[in-house]
Amino acid sequence: MSEQSIVLVAPELRELSGAAPEWPLGAATAFASPAEGPGVGFNTRVVAVVPLVSQAVGASELDRYPALRVVANYGVGTDNLDIASIRSRGIEVTNTPDVLTDATADLAIALLLAAARRLREGLELARSGEWDGWRPTQLLGMGLQGKVLGILGAGRIGLATARRARAFGMEIVYWDRSASSRMEVEAGATRYERLESLLGLSDIVSVHVPLTPETEGMLDATRLAAMKPGSILVNTARGAVLDQAAVAEALRSGHLGGAGLDVFENEPEIPAELRELPTCFVLPHLGSATREARQAMWELAAANARAVLSGSEPLTPVIA
Ligand code: NAP
């Protein structure tokens, strides 16, 4: 009898997945990260891995699992995966688009509001016990009606964020490598082909491009200097799309009026200056953190793994 196959599931998914998810051909579940695996003697039985976006899968992990057929990422971003190495071995790659779009766009709007209305400073004042009463000019923020929101990356989350911002009376402009008719029709957005032009006229810029070699460090000191004085930067994409030190400097100098940041270059590290600056509102990567989204991400990742193991097409293959 052949040895039982194993599906390797990130241990952090145990609660969402139930103790014993069912897999084709009676494969068993092992809860372990791709870097650990089920152990020598068992690694050769691993046919699928379900990693978190914080867990790398590259050549060294792939060498350990010679029978691997699918990497079913628990997340839409795939910057944790060495896709070229995975594909070169004939292994399928999937992710979890759409099911987390609303949750992440909601959080982008939460950050946008937090930065525009100076919620961190307000919270700190309220909690300090030193608030001495209502004053007409206390902690004045930016009104959103009629302001320009610049969306970088007109994909699923960029569009969902733009549609929400329209309800606040914002005007939408966007930058993307390709035109998005949905962005133009559903959010009334205007496309800018030159990033610097969009940065110079946006009151708030929200980042929604994936982290790739092309987008890494895209918002560097020069591009941040091109942003409108007093404008606000929101990032729910990936930390390394920004030059974090340059963002801190732009906030310190007052060139940027505020920032709302959910993601950081070397998570879980959040640079001290970003944590400490009063105009910077930071969160610990909560974009998709709703019960609904995180459960749906598990269902989709598991369905992708099941499909590949059954010899069917995955529901949401990574195309690129
Ligand atoms: P998406 O639908 O693929 O949208 C990304 C958009 O960026 C697409 O329109 C894409 O254009 C564009 N783009 C890609 N590379 C570009 C480049 N070099 N220059 C200009 N535009 C480029 O992805 P999504 O579902 O909206 O997710 C976006 C990102 O959000 C994810 O990759 C992930 O990193 C992040 N995210 C974070 C959280 C969180 O918890 N904070 C949650 C979910 C997602 P094409 O259509 O031509 O590729």
Side-chain angles (χ1 to χ4, degrees):
M1 204 177 87
S2 64
E3 291 179 322
Q4 187 180 28
S5 300
I6 293 174
V7 176
L8 201 61
V9 175
E12 296 82 354
L13 290 169
R14 193 189 289 263
E15 205 182 319
L16 292 173
S17 63
E22 285 186 16
W23 306 109
L25 309 171
T29 305
F31 288 103
S33 74
E36 290 161 358
V40 178
F42 294 91
N43 290 346
T44 52
R45 301 195 205 168
V46 171
V47 290
V49 297
V50 185
L52 307 182
V53 290
S54 51
Q55 296 170 337
V57 179
S60 60
E61 288 76 24
L62 298 171
D63 286 346
R64 198 173 300 153
Y65 309 123
L68 192 61
R69 291 171 57 193
V70 54
V71 176
N73 215 33
Y74 181 77
V76 69
T78 53
D79 47 283
N80 58 316
L81 309 177
D82 179 345
I83 291 183
S85 290
I86 297 171
R87 288 246 173 78
S88 70
R89 298 172 196 228
I91 298 166
E92 188 69 66
V93 195
T94 67
N95 63 349
T96 61
D98 297 315
V99 293
L100 43 49
T101 295
D102 286 333
T104 310
D106 288 349
L107 197 87
I109 294 294
L111 287 171
L112 183 159
L113 284 167
R117 297 304 299 273
R118 303 176 62 179
L119 295 193
R120 173 181 175 160
E121 294 161 275
L123 179 65
E124 284 174 3
L125 178 59
R127 295 182 70 174
S128 71
E130 288 169 13
W131 180 45
D132 57 5
W134 190 92
R135 280 189 280 122
T137 55
Q138 192 166 57
L139 288 178
L140 300 185
M142 180 196 285
L144 300 180
Q145 179 73 37
K147 294 294 192 318
V148 177
L149 173 63
I151 297 276
L152 308 188
R156 291 169 289 246
I157 300 170
L159 174 63
T161 303
R163 292 174 61 191
R164 284 159 172 71
R166 287 286 280 180
F168 291 93
M170 298 194 79
E171 189 187 318
I172 315 296
V173 295
Y174 78 97
W175 173 88
D176 195 291
R177 61 184 172 191
S178 35
S180 162
S181 57
R182 287 193 69 189
M183 197 66 151
E184 290 167 25
V185 172
E186 294 176 33
T190 306
R191 182 179 178 209
Y192 280 75
E193 292 192 35
R194 208 173 147 262
L195 179 55
E196 286 72 11
S197 305
L198 175 140
L199 296 175
L201 58 81
S202 297
D203 297 291
I204 301 180
V205 170
S206 190
V207 185
H208 301 285
V209 287
L211 176 62
T212 66
E214 294 76 42
T215 62
E216 186 167 4
M218 192 176 89
L219 286 182
D220 58 10
T222 308
R223 294 238 168 88
L224 293 170
M227 285 179 69
K228 193 170 171 177
S231 61
I232 288 168
L233 179 63
V234 172
N235 187 13
T236 54
R238 286 290 181 265
V241 175
L242 317 178
D243 176 337
Q244 297 185 147
V247 171
E249 180 48 37
L251 287 165
R252 210 172 16 245
S253 72
H255 176 63
L256 283 187
L261 308 175
D262 184 44
V263 283
F264 302 90
E265 185 169 359
N266 298 308
E267 295 179 6
E269 183 198 328
I270 303 178
E273 43 197 354
L274 294 178
R275 278 187 276 124
E276 286 157 17
L277 278 159
T279 53
C280 193
F281 196 101
V282 293
L283 291 176
H285 202 148
L286 295 181
S288 63
T290 64
R291 288 183 208 293
E292 295 84 355
R294 291 282 168 85
Q295 188 64 44
M297 289 163 66
W298 162 255
E299 308 291 345
L300 183 51
N304 276 318
R306 280 190 199 104
V308 175
L309 297 180
S310 320
S312 312
E313 288 298 314
L315 287 79
T316 51
V318 172
I319 300 158

